[in-house]
Amino acid sequence: MQAKGFGGASSFRALPFLFGVAALLGLLPLLHSHGLQPNPMLASEPPHLYPPGVHGGKPGVVTSPPPENVQDTPPQYKQPSNQSKPTRKAFPVLGIDYTHVRTPFEISLWILLACLMKLGFHVIPSVSNIVPESCLLIVFTENLGTILIFAVVGTLWNAFFLGGLMYGVCQIKGTGLNEIGLLDNLLFGSIISAVDPVAVLAVFEEIHINELLHILVFGESLLNDAVTVVLYHLFEEFATFPRVTFTDILLGFLSFFVVSLGGVFVGVVYGVIAAFTSRFTSHIRVIEPLFVFLYSYMAYLSAELFHLSGIMALIASGVVMRPYVEANISHKSHTTIKYFLKMWSSISETLIFIFLGVSTVAGDHRWNWTFVISTLLFCLIARVLGVLGLTWFINKFRIVKLTPKDQFIIAYGGLRGAIAFSLGYLLDKSHSMREMFLTAIITVIFFTVFVQGMTIRPLVDLLAVKKKQETKRSINEEIHTQFLDHLLTGIEDICGHYGHHHWKDKLNRFNKKYVKKCLIAGERSKEPQLIAFYHKMEMKQAIELVESGGMGKIPSAVSTVSMQNINPKTLPVDRILPALSKDKEEEIRKILRNNLQKTRQRLRSYNRHTLVADPYEEAWNQMLLRRQKVRQLEQKMNNFLTVPAHRLDSPTISRARIGSDPLAYEPKSDSGNLPIITIDPASPQSPESVDLVNEELKEMKRFPPSPEEEEEEEGLVMRASKEPSSPGTDDVFTPGAGDSPSNQRMLRCLSDPGPRPDPEEGEPFIPKGN
Amino acid sequence: MGSFHSRSEEVQELADKTGFTSDQIEHLHRRFKQLSGDQPTIWNLRQAPGGLADEINFEDFLTIMSYFRPIEMDMDEEQLDRFRKEKLKFLFHMYDSDHDGKITLQEYRKVVEELLSGNPHLEKESARSIADGAMMEAASICVGQMEPDQVYEGITFEDFLKIWQGIDIETKMHVRFLNMETIPHCH
């Protein structure tokens, strides 16, 4: 079993682990009986307790006699009755059979215990949003060179330095280690030198360090997997050779490239297949998460099949499939995947460390002071020297140099974890040094995780290392960054310099032209990045709005800056639309929310295979679209509203102006269904808006958009009709004249947004976007 | 200034002015000659009206390129700050097409439209609403809460600086000038 590939985003504190070990000590007897250790107690059970006939032939089941097992009638009863006559038991209405559920029961208990301890020591971590993760990826790609150098060269250096020094130590007479050869030591060195991604992730997540350092150490821990795999197998094989020739070494070197690039290749293949599959899942949304999980796991397994690097396959498949799958799957699937992965990673992490603890307590150990202490010492020294040397080399090529503080954190953050332990555990049982190696490995792991892991946080504070920026990316930043990218690509072109941006641009263009068309379904394949980003932001804001709507507070992201502030084209006197105060906004929001919730409740039964397009989600999309259009049309209205308060010909003229503006009425080609409020007129529970809508529908039917027609004054109305002939956009604010009736009507609407507006007024319902 | 007669003096002059080393200037000059086809100036390749100049000579070329110099290790705080401001000023001028010191909504819209112009399927609506949204955000960053009748004229340079605070422009806006290849690469 290789306990790899369990990257996760959950927090971990070493302290619960301490409690875990204590709990495990208490549970030790059970462990023994479970066969983790061959149990001498097995044979010692009095055989008459379990005569085969009584238990239907379950001789292998061994337990320390559970006290509440009432089915096991005391033996003295059983025996005589068994021998005398066939017993006749009453039908067991209620019984307890602990042995039946024992294994899953105990495992669940352990996991539960560990999770409870985590609860006790943590604040519930806040949900990370999409944006920081993409920032991490960008940082990752920009620093790829550095990360690779640390991962490959650093690990090699660690392994050889440690192995060599340990060999030197083993040669010293009097330590009892003389029989360990060079290859054994090198093997040990390669096992212990790998920085562990799980431990690193757990610790670094806690300390909220700046992204650069985080990704450097974490990236290194992920990418050194290839090196570790190769070295491990290399030395294991070499140990069996009578002598090691130069060609063997060369082949070993070659195999490194095969392993890492092969792993990446396998991952890319699976990633592309996954992206392609996700293109077609628009009708069966339920299985989307399953695809993602399965393809990723298959990538890992396929790589391991060929002795390639499983972790690199996993990473490559994730990186490749992510942009396309994210564009294709539904919001819910995305959430599911995110939370499922977090849950699994949490469980796996717990199990890994429990296993580690159990093996510590219950395993065979061979403690040799010299070996262990020198291992520990040399690990630290090797790490520090490696980081210092490599940074000196890397800084020649970096724009943003790594400061000594950074170097310290990188060195200090090189934690060993379960990978080292698993590799040691997998050693051939006949290997003479196995127990000693395991002991040393466990000691190093404990030391790095406990001591280094726990003290890194105060050290970070002490050294005042730059922390992670908590601010979200604003849309301004997005625009500017893209602008800068374009600019730099252009400049690089002028200079003839094939730099960073040039290749990035080429990749993007290739991506846009060919790849996106294949792998992304439908319309979204043509969406440029800025639009996608804007879309996401709007979605987030809309969700925030709803979630805070009930509490009546406006989210801080929304300021009172509105279109009027930045684009005032009207004289302030003539503005017909007063700005809504906070109360009004809240009322409107509440009404909106209530209606949307009601439609959601009406979702009828669905079978597992066809999930009806969620009206809630659709309603949100429509609300977003509406908000967008409201904004646009507001400004158009401001453009056209040059009407002072009392001019009489305004209705037709202004309608004519609006009517002639092609942009306002261009029916959107991509919205198949014209945006409407999904309010069911048949629903009896929402009289307020239902009546409004009904009224409006009736009114709309009498209102064709032809400018010449003399229409009665309608004031500000809202369209909710689906007529194709009518202007395609809803929420057209047909401006009335600034007449008192319409003004009054409007003001009345705004001043009385209560639950029972007068039906015959047909009061307009104005959801004002911010 | 097509041929360098008193080469070293002129090179030195330019080096002082723009901060390039003489190696870099030689490189750039070679590149300039390629682009301009051995003429003394490069013509406005865009063929669209509205550019400020129809042609630029080598000195202007160098001046523009100097904005993209990477930062050096030996700069102190003040120099870094000045460097950063220069780069941002350059960017600001690119946004502010009429050079009145403010980026108005129209100019911003134009920028976003151009950014998204590579995609023929895009409606102008989306570009506009993005620009509007960005402008509103900028207003709220720079001015905070605004009354309904206050008007936000446009993004001034100070506001621009505020918006860019989060982004590390010194590290992003640079080109490594010495690794250039003189490859014919004109569109």
Side-chain angles (χ1 to χ4, degrees):
Chain A
M1 171 212 80
Q2 288 223 330
K4 294 194 198 181
F6 292 120
S10 50
S11 323
F12 173 79
R13 202 64 83 91
L15 212 49
F17 180 40
L18 201 56
F19 281 79
V21 173
L24 287 168
L25 282 172
L27 291 172
L28 203 53
L30 272 108
L31 285 176
H32 279 286
S33 59
H34 248 296
L36 222 64
Q37 282 249 63
N39 191 356
M41 288 186 347
L42 249 176
S44 66
E45 281 295 334
H48 70 269
L49 258 182
Y50 300 99
V54 175
H55 276 269
K58 278 209 265 181
V61 174
V62 181
T63 55
S64 40
E68 59 267 24
N69 195 340
V70 302
Q71 270 191 346
D72 268 335
T73 55
Q76 50 271 32
Y77 284 70
K78 278 280 190 231
Q79 264 192 314
S81 56
N82 204 22
Q83 284 159 1
S84 53
K85 56 178 186 286
T87 52
R88 190 177 177 283
K89 299 186 294 188
F91 183 75
V93 177
L94 181 68
I96 296 182
D97 187 3
Y98 187 54
T99 59
H100 193 58
V101 296
R102 189 194 178 106
T103 312
F105 189 80
E106 282 169 2
I107 292 182
S108 312
L109 206 59
W110 286 353
I111 299 180
L112 194 60
L113 201 62
C115 293
L116 285 174
M117 286 187 282
K118 271 196 199 183
L119 259 187
F121 286 97
H122 284 113
V123 195
I124 309 291
S126 59
V127 176
S128 67
N129 43 1
I130 310 171
V131 175
E133 290 169 17
S134 40
C135 284
L136 264 183
L137 200 62
I138 297 175
V139 179
F140 179 72
T141 44
E142 282 178 2
N143 292 295
L144 197 58
T146 316
I147 295 177
L148 275 175
I149 291 183
F150 272 124
V152 176
V153 181
T155 314
L156 283 174
W157 158 258
N158 274 350
F160 282 103
F161 184 73
L162 190 68
L165 280 185
M166 289 309 294
Y167 180 62
V169 165
C170 290
Q171 296 303 104
I172 301 176
K173 305 249 185 284
T175 53
L177 300 168
N178 293 8
E179 62 273 13
I180 310 180
L182 177 64
L183 275 175
D184 278 336
N185 275 308
L186 285 176
L187 179 61
F188 179 70
S190 70
I191 294 176
I192 197 82
S193 63
V195 176
D196 187 65
V198 174
V200 162
L201 189 65
V203 168
F204 272 56
E205 276 272 315
E206 284 286 309
I207 62 181
H208 292 299
I209 204 161
N210 70 56
E211 280 129 6
L212 177 66
L213 287 180
H214 187 175
I215 203 69
L216 278 182
V217 184
F218 184 54
E220 175 198 345
S221 66
L222 287 177
L223 295 183
N224 69 13
D225 180 57
V227 181
T228 312
V229 164
V230 169
L231 280 180
Y232 179 74
H233 284 125
L234 207 68
F235 290 132
E236 242 195 342
E237 287 293 318
F238 282 6
T240 61
F241 293 177
R243 40 167 305 182
V244 178
T245 65
F246 182 66
T247 32
D248 294 325
I249 299 182
L250 199 63
L251 286 175
F253 190 66
L254 199 63
S255 85
F256 165 68
F257 284 104
V258 169
V259 163
S260 50
L261 294 176
V264 171
F265 175 69
V266 168
V268 166
V269 165
Y270 272 101
V272 168
I273 297 179
F276 191 64
T277 315
S278 72
R279 185 178 164 192
F280 301 107
T281 56
S282 45
H283 301 292
I284 313 180
R285 294 280 184 195
V286 199
I287 57 179
E288 277 169 349
L290 210 55
F291 274 127
V292 172
F293 298 144
L294 286 175
Y295 277 120
S296 313
Y297 195 49
M298 292 281 288
Y300 172 73
L301 290 176
S302 311
E304 288 288 324
L305 183 66
F306 297 106
H307 269 245
L308 304 173
S309 168
I311 289 188
M312 302 202 72
L314 200 60
I315 298 174
S317 77
V319 165
V320 166
M321 78 163 86
R322 183 189 155 142
Y324 309 109
V325 168
E326 254 192 351
N328 281 332
I329 62 178
S330 72
H331 189 64
K332 287 191 164 172
S333 301
H334 191 254
T335 314
T336 309
I337 294 175
K338 201 159 72 160
Y339 283 103
F340 236 87
L341 281 179
K342 284 194 184 192
M343 185 187 78
W344 263 338
S345 70
S346 191
I347 293 180
S348 313
E349 199 184 292
T350 309
L351 283 177
I352 291 175
F353 281 100
I354 286 180
F355 179 68
L356 204 55
V358 164
S359 307
T360 311
V361 170
D364 293 330
H365 289 296
R366 220 176 100 185
W367 182 270
N368 183 313
W369 276 103
T370 329
F371 194 75
V372 172
I373 298 293
S374 48
T375 305
L376 198 54
L377 211 60
F378 293 144
C379 265
L380 292 172
I381 297 178
R383 177 81 183 158
V384 170
L385 287 179
V387 168
L388 282 177
L390 286 176
T391 321
W392 173 82
F393 176 70
I394 290 171
N395 269 347
K396 293 185 195 269
F397 301 97
R398 282 181 66 91
I399 299 289
V400 181
K401 316 281 181 201
L402 293 172
T403 65
K405 260 193 248 177
D406 296 337
Q407 292 172 34
F408 175 72
I409 296 290
I410 295 176
Y412 205 65
L415 307 177
R416 311 314 200 255
I419 286 190
F421 179 73
S422 318
L423 286 176
Y425 198 77
L426 281 176
L427 279 175
D428 201 4
K429 295 262 193 313
S430 59
H431 200 277
S432 52
M433 294 297 124
R434 188 167 170 266
E435 292 79 29
M436 199 165 70
F437 285 177
L438 278 179
T439 312
I441 292 172
I442 289 182
T443 314
V444 171
I445 293 178
F446 270 38
F447 181 83
T448 56
V449 168
F450 277 114
V451 174
Q452 284 177 233
M454 291 207 292
T455 56
I456 199 170
R457 161 113 20 134
L459 276 174
V460 162
D461 291 333
L462 196 69
L463 293 176
V465 181
K466 208 162 76 156
K467 295 255 179 118
K468 185 156 67 166
Q469 285 174 313
E470 294 297 338
T471 54
K472 302 192 287 200
R473 223 160 128 93
S474 67
I475 197 165
N476 270 302
E477 282 188 18
E478 183 74 19
I479 294 181
H480 292 318
T481 321
Q482 276 216 1
F483 186 80
L484 201 56
D485 267 344
H486 277 248
L487 183 64
L488 284 171
T489 313
I491 297 276
E492 279 186 2
D493 245 4
I494 294 180
C495 292
H497 169 49
Y498 283 139
H500 187 65
H501 292 271
H502 180 90
W503 295 116
K504 212 159 59 161
D505 189 54
K506 262 214 160 103
L507 186 65
N508 276 337
R509 255 185 288 169
F510 171 71
N511 192 13
K512 212 187 326 193
K513 201 158 160 210
Y514 300 111
V515 185
K516 272 195 181 170
K517 290 223 180 87
C518 297
L519 298 179
I520 298 188
E523 277 300 313
R524 297 208 55 187
S525 61
K526 306 196 189 78
E527 210 175 56
Q529 184 195 347
L530 198 57
I531 301 280
F533 180 82
Y534 189 61
H535 203 78
K536 267 186 220 162
M537 269 201 70
E538 287 265 272
M539 185 73 126
K540 251 195 299 179
Q541 268 189 16
I543 292 176
E544 268 176 28
L545 226 108
V546 156
E547 282 175 358
S548 70
M551 296 188 278
K553 72 168 153 64
I554 300 184
S556 52
V558 173
S559 73
T560 56
V561 176
S562 63
M563 277 308 295
Q564 276 84 18
N565 294 117
I566 61 176
N567 190 12
K569 288 286 172 66
T570 64
L571 311 168
V573 176
D574 309 316
R575 278 200 2 239
I576 290 186
L577 279 186
L580 290 177
S581 70
K582 286 188 189 181
D583 298 329
K584 314 287 189 330
E585 270 199 61
E586 191 221 313
E587 286 291 342
I588 290 174
R589 228 180 268 137
K590 210 190 327 183
I591 295 175
L592 250 188
R593 196 173 43 102
N594 287 339
N595 288 312
L596 293 171
Q597 277 184 350
K598 290 199 175 91
T599 46
R600 187 187 187 200
Q601 285 159 16
R602 275 184 37 250
L603 185 62
R604 272 174 236 102
S605 69
Y606 60 95
N607 69 43
R608 267 183 310 156
H609 301 290
T610 63
L611 205 51
V612 171
D614 197 334
Y616 194 62
E617 198 170 73
E618 277 205 354
W620 278 121
N621 290 339
Q622 285 149 18
M623 204 188 99
L624 293 180
L625 275 166
R626 207 164 348 106
R627 267 184 54 197
Q628 223 180 7
K629 283 164 185 144
V630 162
R631 258 189 248 135
Q632 295 158 10
L633 289 159
E634 259 186 336
Q635 87 204 45
K636 258 173 218 52
M637 260 221 340
N638 287 333
N639 289 346
F640 291 111
L641 269 185
T642 54
V643 180
H646 298 292
R647 242 200 272 166
L648 284 174
D649 58 345
S650 30
T652 44
I653 292 187
S654 36
R655 241 179 271 131
R657 281 205 205 99
I658 295 255
S660 63
D661 182 353
L663 285 177
Y665 292 135
E666 196 181 303
K668 298 292 168 222
S669 50
D670 56 347
S671 53
N673 50 331
L674 297 174
I676 51 165
I677 297 181
T678 53
I679 295 174
D680 182 11
S683 144
Q685 290 121 335
S686 51
E688 62 273 29
S689 24
V690 167
D691 288 342
L692 291 175
V693 175
N694 275 335
E695 286 300 316
E696 294 320 302
L697 283 173
K698 282 190 225 133
E699 282 186 13
M700 285 315 106
K701 297 210 168 37
R702 296 178 284 137
F703 185 65
S706 56
E708 304 86 28
E709 236 169 293
E710 235 358 73
E711 281 296 331
E712 58 181 39
E713 179 48 61
E714 291 189 348
L716 287 148
V717 297
M718 182 193 63
R719 271 165 216 261
S721 83
K722 266 185 173 182
E723 291 168 53
S725 61
S726 76
T729 60
D730 70 358
D731 292 347
V732 171
F733 291 92
T734 321
D739 291 34
S740 350
S742 73
N743 252 350
Q744 274 177 23
R745 203 182 298 166
M746 235 266 317
L747 290 171
R748 225 178 297 137
C749 154
L750 293 177
S751 62
D752 178 26
R756 301 232 71 189
D758 217 343
E760 65 251 12
E761 289 285 351
E763 278 183 30
F765 188 120
I766 304 183
K768 184 168 158 87
N770 85 321
Chain B
M1 215 197 321
S3 51
F4 282 61
H5 290 301
S6 49
R7 223 183 162 115
S8 44
E9 289 168 12
E10 291 178 12
V11 169
Q12 194 49 46
E13 221 180 273
L14 287 171
D16 291 333
K17 203 163 127 194
T18 58
F20 280 118
T21 68
S22 43
D23 279 339
Q24 290 172 329
I25 294 185
E26 295 281 340
H27 259 103
L28 284 169
H29 185 64
R30 245 176 281 148
R31 183 64 186 162
F32 181 81
K33 277 179 54 177
Q34 259 196 328
L35 289 174
S36 69
D38 281 337
Q39 299 295 318
T41 58
I42 300 180
W43 286 88
N44 187 352
L45 299 165
R46 204 161 170 204
Q47 275 113 34
L52 280 179
D54 280 330
E55 52 185 30
I56 55 171
N57 57 19
F58 184 57
E59 202 173 317
D60 301 332
F61 184 70
L62 265 192
T63 318
I64 296 178
M65 289 297 153
S66 74
Y67 286 114
F68 292 92
R69 274 189 305 129
I71 56 174
E72 280 132 37
M73 280 303 280
D74 51 357
M75 286 187 166
D76 56 4
E77 275 299 314
E78 190 213 305
Q79 271 185 311
L80 266 177
D81 199 43
R82 203 170 36 94
F83 208 52
R84 185 186 158 88
K85 277 223 176 87
E86 273 177 23
K87 298 195 182 212
L88 284 174
K89 194 100 183 143
F90 182 72
L91 268 191
F92 186 75
H93 279 310
M94 290 204 72
Y95 280 89
D96 185 19
S97 42
D98 58 358
H99 293 280
D100 59 354
K102 288 199 283 278
I103 304 176
T104 62
L105 186 62
Q106 299 303 329
E107 289 165 347
Y108 209 23
R109 272 189 194 154
K110 201 149 180 308
V111 167
V112 175
E113 269 171 31
E114 278 196 27
L115 259 186
L116 299 174
S117 63
N119 189 341
H121 298 273
L122 207 59
E123 304 125 3
K124 286 184 97 184
E125 301 293 302
S126 321
R128 279 198 188 190
S129 51
I130 291 179
D132 295 345
M135 197 70 173
M136 280 200 262
E137 205 183 65
S140 60
I141 291 178
C142 306
V143 186
Q145 305 293 353
M146 290 183 76
E147 296 303 313
D149 46 1
Q150 264 182 293
V151 174
Y152 183 63
E153 296 288 335
I155 307 181
T156 61
F157 187 55
E158 283 73 34
D159 299 339
F160 197 65
L161 283 178
K162 247 190 264 190
I163 297 174
W164 273 88
Q165 242 172 15
I167 315 176
D168 244 352
I169 190 168
E170 306 94 39
T171 59
K172 292 202 178 179
M173 186 163 157
H174 69 272
V175 176
R176 279 182 232 227
F177 283 109
L178 271 183
N179 313 353
M180 290 188 305
E181 295 150 32
T182 47
I183 295 173
H185 205 86
C186 259
H187 303 302

